[in-house]
Amino acid sequence: MEKIIGIDLGTTNSVVAILEGGEPVIIPNSRGDRLTPSIVAFSDKREILVGQVAKNQIVINSERSVSSVKRHMGTDYKIKIGRKKYTPQEISSFILRKLKKDAEEYLQTPITKAVITVPAYFDDNQRQATKDAGKIAGLEVLRIINEPTAAALSYGLRHEENQIVIVLDLGGGTYDVSILELGDGVFEVRSTSGVNHLGGDDFDERIINYLADRFEEQEKIDLRQDRMALQKLKEEAEKAKIELSEATVATINIPFITADANGPKHLNIELSRTEFEGLIQDLINQMIPPIEKALEDASLSSAEINRVILAGGSTRIPAVREAFRSALDNEFYRKVNPDECVALGAAIQAGILGGDVRGVVLVDVTPLSLGIETEGGIFVPLINRNTTIPTASSKTFTTIADGQSVVEVHVLQGENPQADKNISLGKFQLGGIRSARKGDPHINVEFDIDVDGIVHVTAEDVDTGNQQTIRITNAMSYSSEEIERMVAEAELQIAQSEKYNELLVIKHDVEKLVKEVNQALEQGSSEIDKQMSEELTNALNDLQAALNVEDIEEIQFNQTALLAMYEELRKTLKNDSGAEVKVAGS
Ligand code: AMP
């Protein structure tokens, strides 16, 4: 049976896990790290860097580096690198490809199937985009599961007793609250809530602005206008924030951050925990209403919660914990690692799908109401939020004019009675309606939400029985042809990147060899006959020509030829002088 991996595709870091011997375990990446930064960079030399290597070069190559792309998933945002524009799906696919490759190396087997987690509060566009990213990475995404649900799975597998748990998940970019009822192997989500764009990145942003403002007051230079300085600020702001989870004061020290006519400038600013808390207080305040909403939707009081589970790196911030504690009046369960529990839960879900975990049933819900726009821009929900998925609802449409052959339906997700205040999933058209008086045709449209939380729409002309599956026309969703094109492009780029890496290694060896041959030619000029000297010079020229055009086969061919000649030369020199000459690359 093929192994299925579980992936936590995070805003800041991504983690991959697998079920081994009935237990979920984290798969370390090629560096041996358990967390892989969700950063992709394109060097100006065609190389694609993912993870820590991309993070390491971000200050000097910020224009060609992409971080926190998850924040743009499900939007039509494009990332321009050089002349090429990438979608968030394509950038995410490079991260997924790296995780897949690391898993393949660790497990010593090809991997083609995965379970990927998303924030519970992700809408249909964002879920679809995540699934597409998986496809572009060459992964069959067997299931999309909600991050807090995954966290609860990793906690609950060892806890048999019936209980109600709340998962508070605050990562780099999103905030999710889920309430689950666990018991007898059933994990039932009672309600979910959250904020789509709220997390560690926003806290970093506040610190960056604080530091930039202070620096501007002192030096009259706005660091935000300088890409490299801003990137340095970003790194140090995040470090300071993490430090402030332990320490009460952090010192941000960035020598040579910029310069003016008077010389180099250094940034040295202290930030206390209290000051930091002041900077993010309004963001922390935003975290309480979703808890209240989730409790209300589950018809529970905070006293009925048996366990509070924290997921996501930002839940380590003391002020965040304090806010959670006062909202719930409950202690946290501390044996769950907030960085890893989501990936571990994804691996358990993979185990359930693969048949390795038995007796566990997961019942999840849709986070947002699904509905349509009706006359006057009014939103009419057809499936309410927190409905168990999969689920379906149908509605009959008719025409408003005689002979009307097309009806347009606008599908949305959200809770606002005003259609335009909700998230548009797109519009679709019911075509080919038979010619009839207005109000006569009956077209039954079924809206269903699958186990991944993804919306499908089918329609049937009740009178003729004609069935049609409708694709919602939406800038963010791709056809299988478009996905195939993106796969081909990504594979080509990766092949070029790998070829470039191979070229670098070969170049390194060749340059060493060329240097040695030149040295030998110089040192032994009196002992080397003219013909050998000419032959060597020609071979060196041929090799240089191949290097110039970066033709790997040609380089290797000429390298072998030069190496053979060099060995000849060594023998000659050794016979003449008795001295040993070391050969590079042999
Ligand atoms: P995640 O998406 O779960 O990987 O969470 C990443 C976010 O958590 C980033 O914004 C990190 O800066 C933040 N983070 C990680 N560790 C800490 C910490 N000890 N204190 C504060 N924030 C942290």
Side-chain angles (χ1 to χ4, degrees):
M1 173 85 194
E2 193 185 328
K3 289 185 190 283
I4 310 166
I5 51 174
I7 297 177
D8 169 9
L9 181 63
T11 309
T12 321
N13 295 300
S14 294
V15 189
V16 55
I18 185 98
L19 203 71
E20 275 190 340
E23 282 291 314
V25 291
I26 300 291
I27 299 177
N29 63 22
S30 50
R31 297 165 55 96
D33 300 333
R34 297 163 79 83
L35 269 61
T36 299
S38 304
I39 302 176
V40 178
F42 301 83
S43 82
D44 52 6
K45 302 265 176 15
R46 289 164 289 180
E47 248 181 319
I48 301 170
L49 309 169
V50 182
Q52 192 60 45
V53 276
K55 192 170 181 176
N56 291 347
Q57 54 81 72
I58 204 163
V59 170
I60 49 163
N61 187 30
S62 64
E63 271 159 67
R64 300 175 68 89
S65 305
V66 191
S67 53
S68 297
V69 74
K70 186 172 174 178
R71 291 197 141 202
H72 302 291
M73 286 298 255
T75 70
D76 54 5
Y77 180 82
K78 296 263 174 23
I79 302 112
K80 194 158 181 275
I81 307 279
R83 266 172 296 159
K84 189 166 163 46
K85 280 188 187 155
Y86 294 90
T87 61
Q89 292 89 316
E90 285 175 293
I91 297 292
S92 301
S93 80
F94 288 119
I95 302 168
L96 290 171
R97 251 176 214 277
K98 152 112 181 119
L99 301 173
K100 173 179 183 281
K101 192 163 168 228
D102 284 343
E104 286 174 334
E105 271 163 25
Y106 177 85
L107 299 167
Q108 290 290 303
T109 180
I111 298 286
T112 60
K113 295 184 167 74
V115 168
I116 304 181
T117 63
V118 294
Y121 217 57
F122 254 20
D123 62 37
D124 179 72
N125 293 330
Q126 295 166 306
R127 284 166 197 268
Q128 188 63 57
T130 306
K131 213 167 176 180
D132 286 347
K135 282 190 209 155
I136 302 168
L139 284 169
E140 186 188 342
V141 183
L142 296 187
R143 185 68 55 86
I144 292 282
I145 90 162
N146 293 331
E147 286 159 13
T149 311
L153 258 182
S154 84
Y155 157 82
L157 211 59
R158 274 181 225 93
H159 296 83
E160 301 282 304
E161 67 276 17
N162 286 6
Q163 53 185 315
I164 293 185
V165 304
I166 188 165
V167 183
L168 304 167
D169 183 357
L170 184 70
T174 50
Y175 171 55
D176 269 346
V177 178
S178 285
I179 297 177
L180 292 97
E181 195 170 339
L182 319 185
D184 299 327
V186 179
F187 290 69
E188 187 180 353
V189 180
R190 294 272 299 262
S191 65
T192 191
S193 185
V195 183
N196 233 323
H197 290 278
L198 181 61
D201 282 3
D202 300 292
F203 306 149
D204 297 349
E205 197 64 37
R206 294 288 168 90
I207 302 180
I208 293 165
N209 280 323
Y210 172 81
L211 297 175
D213 287 346
R214 292 278 303 271
F215 190 81
E216 200 172 1
E217 276 164 28
Q218 292 164 14
E219 305 287 351
K220 308 279 171 280
I221 300 172
D222 184 3
L223 293 173
R224 284 162 288 220
Q225 306 305 321
D226 174 345
R227 238 191 136 110
M228 204 143 143
L230 185 62
Q231 194 55 51
K232 278 189 202 160
L233 264 188
K234 232 180 204 164
E235 273 188 11
E236 295 306 316
E238 190 191 3
K239 276 191 207 152
K241 174 189 74 176
I242 292 175
E243 205 179 319
L244 288 172
S245 292
E246 307 276 333
T248 49
V249 181
T251 305
I252 300 102
N253 187 8
I254 317 177
F256 303 99
I257 188 158
T258 190
D260 67 6
N262 299 322
K265 302 278 172 208
H266 317 294
L267 181 143
N268 195 310
I269 299 171
E270 272 193 357
L271 179 68
S272 73
R273 189 189 283 176
T274 318
E275 282 169 314
F276 170 56
E277 288 170 358
L279 294 176
I280 62 166
Q281 192 54 54
D282 62 312
L283 299 174
I284 290 183
N285 293 345
Q286 287 180 35
M287 293 171 198
I288 307 308
I291 297 179
E292 292 164 351
K293 195 165 127 214
L295 283 169
E296 193 187 321
D297 285 355
S299 305
L300 289 167
S301 73
S302 60
E304 289 170 278
I305 302 287
N306 303 108
R307 279 259 189 263
V308 182
I309 298 166
L310 302 182
S314 302
T315 56
R316 292 204 179 88
I317 296 173
V320 169
R321 292 193 164 197
E322 200 40 55
F324 289 162
R325 198 173 281 126
S326 61
L328 288 162
D329 196 21
N330 208 321
E331 272 310 306
F332 310 126
Y333 183 72
R334 292 181 184 276
K335 289 187 198 151
V336 167
N337 179 336
D339 297 323
E340 298 181 353
C341 58
V342 171
L344 295 174
I348 296 169
Q349 175 64 52
I352 296 172
L353 296 174
D356 296 326
V357 177
R358 290 174 206 276
V360 175
V361 181
L362 199 64
V363 185
D364 219 322
V365 298
T366 180
L368 298 158
S369 301
L370 178 79
I372 50 165
E373 178 174 350
T374 58
E375 239 174 299
I378 306 291
F379 174 65
V380 176
L382 299 172
I383 296 172
N384 287 321
R385 72 165 187 267
N386 290 322
T387 301
T388 298
I389 50 172
T391 185
S393 174
S394 58
K395 185 171 170 60
T396 304
F397 291 86
T398 188
T399 51
I400 51 166
D402 291 340
Q404 183 180 344
S405 63
V406 177
V407 170
E408 193 176 74
V409 182
H410 187 192
V411 188
L412 304 116
Q413 262 185 327
E415 312 308 323
N416 202 297
Q418 231 175 299
D420 62 2
K421 295 263 166 56
N422 294 306
I423 302 142
S424 170
L425 303 188
K427 291 180 177 165
F428 66 84
Q429 290 187 334
L430 299 171
I433 298 171
R434 71 191 161 83
S435 183
R437 282 217 313 271
K438 67 174 177 187
D440 269 1
H442 292 96
I443 302 126
N444 191 41
V445 179
E446 184 162 293
F447 299 82
D448 68 86
I449 303 180
D450 67 15
V451 279
D452 294 333
I454 290 175
V455 178
H456 305 267
V457 186
T458 46
E460 186 190 24
D461 189 330
V462 177
D463 308 319
T464 61
N466 281 347
Q467 182 105 29
Q468 45 176 321
T469 305
I470 308 147
R471 224 174 84 81
I472 301 181
T473 48
N474 180 324
M476 274 84 74
S477 62
Y478 295 115
S479 64
S480 52
E481 292 79 29
E482 283 167 315
I483 299 267
E484 266 171 39
R485 179 185 54 74
M486 282 190 255
V487 171
E489 273 180 22
E491 280 176 356
L492 181 69
Q493 252 192 304
I494 287 165
Q496 282 176 341
S497 173
E498 280 168 0
K499 200 168 154 208
Y500 178 74
N501 277 328
E502 195 189 345
L503 188 70
L504 277 191
V505 174
I506 294 170
K507 259 186 169 170
H508 178 258
D509 284 351
V510 167
E511 275 160 12
K512 219 165 124 198
L513 173 65
V514 168
K515 198 167 147 204
E516 280 177 22
V517 172
N518 277 324
Q519 266 174 3
L521 276 172
E522 250 175 56
Q523 283 165 9
S525 56
S526 53
E527 290 108 293
I528 302 170
D529 68 40
K530 196 161 168 263
Q531 191 192 345
M532 187 179 252
S533 167
E534 263 176 25
E535 276 173 10
L536 275 164
T537 310
N538 287 341
L540 280 168
N541 288 342
D542 290 346
L543 188 53
Q544 191 55 54
L547 276 172
N548 290 348
V549 291
E550 299 186 342
D551 181 332
I552 292 182
E553 270 182 31
E554 197 66 20
I555 295 172
Q556 284 175 325
F557 175 80
N558 286 296
Q559 181 188 20
T560 312
L562 180 64
L563 200 57
M565 278 184 226
Y566 182 39
E567 291 209 16
E568 274 303 303
L569 173 68
R570 272 179 68 227
K571 274 189 217 143
T572 314
L573 295 179
K574 195 173 169 191
N575 287 341
D576 288 352
S577 67
E580 186 70 66
V581 182
K582 207 177 168 301
V583 180
S586 63

